Structure formats: C-alpha cells, structure tokens
C-alpha cells in the first residue's frame, strides 16, 4: 500500500493524471474502471484540460466500477458526469466506452455488464483483470457501490451485483470484490475532511474498520495506492507516508 498526500485537490489531480498518463503509455490497450460521485470531477477536468494530446486515448477503454440505475441523461448518472467532465473533451473512440446501462432493469444489467467484462478484459487465472480500478470512499466506508449494510455483496461469486443505497434506496450496479482485487492497480482517490475518520480507521485498522467494504480492497497481486488531499489525510500519522 502506497499513500500519497497532496496539499489540494488540484495538486492531487495533476499528479494522478501524470501517473495515469505514464501507466497508459506502457500498454497498447489500457482498461480502466472509473469511479463516480463528485471526487473524480476535478480529476476529469484536469485530464480534459491538460492531457487531451499527452494521452493516446485510442489506447484507453473506459468502464465504470459502479453506476446508478438511472438513464444516462439523469443528473445522477456517473456516465453523464464523465461525459460532461471528460469524454466530451477528449478524442476517444465511441467503441472504447463501455458504460453500465443504468436505464436497463438492474439485475439484467448486472448480468450483461459482467459479460462485457468477461468478453473485453484480459484474464488472469480465469478472472477479468483491469489495468486500473479507480475507487472513491464514501463517508460511511463504502466503495464502488458496495455499502456496509450489504457488505456480503463484496464476496459475491458474480462479477457485478445489484446494490441498494442505504438512505435513498436507489439501485446501483457495482463490480464486486473479485474484480476489484484482481486489478493490476487499484487507486483510491479521496478528498475532503468528511472522509478523514474513515481513512484513519481503514488504513490504521482501527474502530469499526471491518464493517467498511473499503477495507476489503486488497489487490491479490496488484498495487494499492491512496491519493489523499490534506483534509482526507488529516488523521493519518506521518509515519504512514
Ligand atoms: C458513486 C461512487 C461512490 C463514490 C463515493 C465517494 O457512484 O457514488 O462510485 O463509490 O466514489 O460515494 O463519493 P464522493 O466522491 O462524491 O465523495
């Protein structure tokens, strides 16, 4: 596990984007699962503004770690957010975009997307492997759309499961632990003081960390990186870095 702390979201976004560009340059085809929510927006804005030509986007295939079960036109859609902040501003072939179809019936879409991963990703020991999975951290300790009240979904034998937001009840389609921990690299991107407690508990294995799905992220043979701004890292002792 490697922890990287940055003074600001912007500094984090710039360094992560440079790191991503270097990773992409090492492979003819690069398969990446994106996270949703609000944190990625600043990353996508930096990529769109500074890496339009520094990254050969024709090598990149975009997938999502999770999606809300809403149409792609809905403001809650992670796909819509990604189009607005990134996809609409880079030259990436449409066939390289593998969205979770939030408009489909959730259990059907979970099966369909699992088949997409099975059909498009290289396999290691028979399990599809992403080159990079980007994850966010919820202030309840969830990641992707595996929430504490449904932590058993992490251990599903399926590549994708239907999850339920604990407050709104909104259905989500999410990749599961076996896909996340199969990745060559997993990068948590976490900013904001509201995440500091969970970052401390998960990284230092304190308090109720075992209740949080994010603590189960432990790539079998890949790298685990935490990109944190100062607010999110506020409770981590410096020895951790
Ligand atoms: C989603 C995300 C989710 C997100 C965390 C953090 O669809 O909401 O995939 O896992 O990464 O909830 O969200 P913020 O970045 O908005 O805090």
């Amino acid at each position: 596990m490697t922890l990287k702390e940055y003074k600001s979201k912007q500094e984090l976004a710039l360094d992560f984007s440079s790191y991503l560009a270097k990773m992409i340059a090492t492979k003819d085809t690069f398969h990446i699962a994106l996270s949703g929510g609000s944190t990625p927006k600043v990353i996508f804005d930096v990529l769109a503004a500074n890496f339009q030509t520094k990254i050969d986007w024709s090598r990149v295939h975009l997938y999502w770690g999770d999606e809300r079960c809403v149409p792609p036109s809905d403001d809650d859609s992670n796909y819509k957010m990604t189009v607005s902040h990134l996809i609409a501003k880079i030259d990436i072939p449409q066939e390289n975009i593998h969205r979770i179809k939030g408009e489909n019936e959730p259990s059907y879409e979970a099966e369909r997307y699992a088949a997409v991963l099975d059909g498009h990703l290289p396999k290691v020991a028979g399990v599809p492997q992403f080159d990079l999975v980007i994850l966010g951290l919820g202030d309840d300790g969830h990641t992707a759309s595996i929430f504490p009240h449904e932590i058993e979904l992490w251990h599903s034998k399926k590549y994708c499961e239907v999850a339920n937001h604990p407050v709104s009840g909104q259905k989500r389609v999410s990749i599961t632990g076996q896909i996340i921990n199969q990745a060559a690299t997993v990068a948590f991107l976490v900013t904001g003081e509201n995440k500091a407690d969970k970052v401390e508990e998960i990284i230092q294995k304190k308090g109720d960390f075992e209740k949080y799905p994010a603590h189960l992220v432990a790539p079998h043979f890949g790298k685990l990186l935490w990109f944190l701004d100062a607010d999110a890292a506020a409770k981590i002792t410096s020895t951790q870095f």
Side-chain angles (χ1 to χ4, degrees):
M1 178 191 306
T2 303
L3 303 172
K4 295 168 175 273
E5 181 183 348
Y6 301 88
K7 291 190 186 68
S8 67
K9 284 185 185 181
Q10 192 66 18
E11 201 184 280
L12 184 159
L14 282 164
D15 197 51
F16 175 77
S17 298
S18 299
Y19 177 80
L20 177 62
K22 288 190 189 96
M23 289 180 78
I24 291 169
T26 65
K27 301 202 68 176
D28 292 338
T29 305
F30 195 86
H31 301 278
I32 176 172
L34 302 174
S35 62
S38 57
T39 301
K41 291 175 184 173
V42 68
I43 312 287
F44 296 163
D45 289 342
V46 165
L47 284 170
N50 302 283
F51 290 80
Q52 282 178 334
T53 55
K54 288 179 188 168
I55 289 175
D56 176 358
W57 293 99
S58 69
R59 294 172 181 226
V60 181
H61 283 254
L62 299 179
Y63 305 75
W64 279 260
D66 64 317
E67 182 58 281
R68 292 83 181 274
C69 293
V70 295
S73 57
D74 190 297
D75 286 343
D76 247 12
S77 164
N78 287 330
Y79 169 74
K80 180 179 180 182
M81 179 274 286
T82 311
V83 170
S84 163
H85 289 268
L86 178 61
I87 293 172
K89 301 171 181 173
I90 57 174
D91 185 15
I92 185 166
Q94 192 53 37
E95 61 269 23
N96 289 23
I97 311 292
H98 311 278
R99 72 180 180 90
I100 298 173
K101 296 183 178 177
E103 67 275 26
N104 284 347
E105 191 281 321
S107 51
Y108 167 83
E109 183 54 20
E111 296 294 327
R112 187 196 71 85
Y113 204 64
V116 168
L117 303 183
D118 191 64
H120 285 80
L121 296 179
K123 292 191 176 67
V124 172
V127 179
Q129 181 181 61
F130 279 107
D131 294 295
L132 172 64
V133 172
I134 295 176
L135 294 174
L137 175 66
D139 54 15
D140 61 355
H142 81 260
T143 194
S145 277
I146 310 288
F147 295 94
H149 75 295
E150 295 177 325
I151 196 167
E152 72 282 358
L153 292 180
W154 177 273
H155 305 287
S156 172
K157 292 191 180 353
K158 296 181 180 177
Y159 297 154
C160 298
E161 282 280 4
V162 178
N164 300 276
H165 190 281
V167 177
S168 66
Q170 183 187 61
K171 292 207 174 296
R172 310 275 188 92
V173 171
S174 179
I175 59 176
T176 58
Q178 71 169 310
I179 291 292
I180 293 171
N181 283 339
Q182 185 76 348
T185 301
V186 177
F188 272 108
L189 307 183
V190 186
T191 62
E193 58 186 353
N194 63 319
K195 308 294 173 73
D197 288 342
K198 294 296 182 290
V199 167
E200 178 193 23
E201 287 184 85
I202 290 165
I203 287 176
Q204 296 182 349
K205 297 194 186 309
K206 290 165 68 173
D208 289 331
F209 78 96
E210 288 173 322
K211 294 180 182 171
Y212 312 141
H215 102 273
L216 295 168
V217 176
H220 303 310
F221 24 70
K223 285 190 285 225
L224 175 56
L225 310 172
W226 286 79
F227 290 79
L228 303 161
D229 73 352
D231 288 342
K235 298 189 173 182
I236 297 291
T237 55
S238 56
T239 52
Q240 235 90 30
F241 288 89

